[in-house]
Amino acid sequence: MTNQAYNVPVVSPELRKDESIHQIADALEYLDKVANDVFTKISSRVAENKNKLQAVTQRVDVAQAKINQIKGSTKATKVFSSAKYPCVDEVEQYKSLHQLENDLNGVKHSSFKLISKHHHVDEAVLKEKLKFYSIKEGARPPRSRSDADQGEGLGGLPRNIKSVSSLLLFNTSENP
């Protein structure tokens, strides 16, 4: 299970043209549903907060009217107040706008029958794909494990370590 409310897929570049078109259409359709869901949730939260703000504004207006009524008076005024702060016993918990469980579980790929076959890949096909996909040419290949071990630092962990607490020496500030 992911920690994200929505998961919009990326279309793989190794697909045939027909498959790519279908997956792009499915991904864009799902992205449209996600965008509509997000904006609907935002609109409903804004409307909810607007109602709360109007209720507070009405209370402020009533309090201001009472203050204006007392303002010009030359008589002494007694104000009675309870010893407790006037609030609810339990504070309402904050609800996240985007819950992990939502109606949009994932992309539903439409089923279709392909007629085309895989084509042999040559330089012309690769150059055509480079027009549509961003690939860094001349990028450094990933370092091998032996190159990483020869760099600075203490090196890898010993194989006999079973937990993080095994890395600490008892009653010292040193690590093995």
Side-chain angles (χ1 to χ4, degrees):
M1 181 172 198
T2 63
N3 291 340
Q4 301 170 346
Y6 304 106
N7 189 9
V8 179
V10 176
V11 177
S12 176
E14 291 89 25
L15 299 174
R16 290 179 266 181
K17 190 173 188 177
D18 297 341
E19 290 174 313
S20 294
I21 291 171
H22 283 287
Q23 285 202 6
I24 288 170
D26 291 340
L28 288 174
E29 187 176 313
Y30 180 71
L31 183 62
D32 182 49
K33 290 178 184 177
V34 167
N36 288 337
D37 189 47
V38 167
F39 285 115
T40 301
K41 287 181 179 181
I42 290 172
S43 297
S44 66
R45 181 65 63 94
V46 167
E48 181 182 314
N49 287 336
K50 197 176 211 180
N51 291 339
K52 286 181 183 179
L53 182 63
Q54 284 177 342
V56 170
T57 305
Q58 287 175 350
R59 288 180 58 197
V60 167
D61 290 341
V62 167
Q64 187 64 43
K66 289 179 181 179
I67 290 171
N68 289 340
Q69 188 178 17
I70 299 171
K71 202 180 218 179
S73 174
T74 56
K75 292 195 237 174
T77 305
K78 284 186 179 180
V79 177
F80 295 100
S81 175
S82 66
K84 286 180 64 179
Y85 183 74
C87 71
V88 221
D89 290 337
E90 289 186 25
V91 179
E92 181 182 340
Q93 291 292 323
Y94 176 76
K95 294 183 298 185
S96 176
L97 188 61
H98 304 288
Q99 302 295 325
L100 291 180
E101 296 84 24
N102 56 37
D103 298 338
L104 303 173
N105 294 331
V107 175
K108 297 195 176 34
H109 292 289
S110 55
S111 61
F112 52 90
K113 189 163 189 150
L114 291 177
I115 300 170
S116 67
K117 304 285 183 198
H118 281 286
H119 297 289
H120 181 68
V121 178
D122 58 353
E123 287 296 318
V125 172
L126 287 176
K127 286 183 181 178
E128 180 187 345
K129 281 197 174 201
L130 285 176
K131 292 179 187 175
F132 302 109
Y133 300 105
S134 62
I135 299 172
K136 293 182 182 177
E137 291 188 38
R140 234 173 63 179
R143 293 182 1 177
S144 67
R145 184 80 171 133
S146 61
D147 290 344
D149 290 342
Q150 293 175 2
E152 292 182 25
L154 299 175
L157 291 175
R159 300 237 183 254
N160 61 350
I161 300 295
K162 292 183 178 148
S163 70
V164 174
S165 61
S166 301
L167 292 173
L168 303 174
L169 292 178
F170 179 71
N171 209 11
T172 65
S173 62
E174 296 180 20
N175 294 331

